[in-house]
Amino acid sequence: KLSPADYLILLDERGKTYSSIEFAGMLEKMQQNTAHLVFCIGGAYGFDDSVYQRANAKLSLSGFTFSHQLVPLIFGEQLYRAFTIIKGEPYHHA
């Protein structure tokens, strides 16, 4: 269901980690340079090799291992935090 123009970022334990401020900066830059960002959360065993090959980047939420059922909640909060940082709103305290 991805188009060739989609920028696919996998949430993966072997991905790059960012601080909240770094993640906000990355998102802001991606919004300016990419028409459609797609974040994909894998199952307990990760992704099929074909998905890894299609991915443009991998993002790790932490050095800790989280249940894949918790990741949507944790990642949703991080997206919210990143957008408040981008907007300069007071939610995030550096």
Side-chain angles (χ1 to χ4, degrees), residues 60-91:
S60 173
L61 293 177
S62 171
F64 289 117
T65 301
F66 298 112
S67 162
H68 66 279
Q69 292 97 339
L70 284 175
V71 172
L73 175 66
I74 295 167
F75 185 60
E77 194 281 332
Q78 289 304 306
L79 282 173
Y80 179 80
R81 181 178 298 268
F83 285 114
T84 61
I85 292 168
I86 291 167
K87 290 180 179 182
E89 294 178 356
Y91 175 76

Side-chain angles (χ1 to χ4, degrees), residues 20-38:
S20 294
I21 292 172
E22 291 169 338
F23 181 58
M26 186 271 293
L27 274 180
E28 189 170 31
K29 183 182 285 187
M30 290 299 214
Q31 284 182 303
Q32 296 168 359
N33 299 323
T34 306
H36 196 213
L37 280 175
V38 177

Side-chain angles (χ1 to χ4, degrees), residues 1 3 5 10 13 17-18 37 39 51-52 56 68-69 80 92:
K1 296 191 179 199
S3 76
L10 304 181
E13 64 185 6
T17 58
Y18 294 90
L37 280 175
F39 292 95
V51 178
Y52 281 114
N56 299 95
H68 66 279
Q69 292 97 339
Y80 179 80
H92 177 75

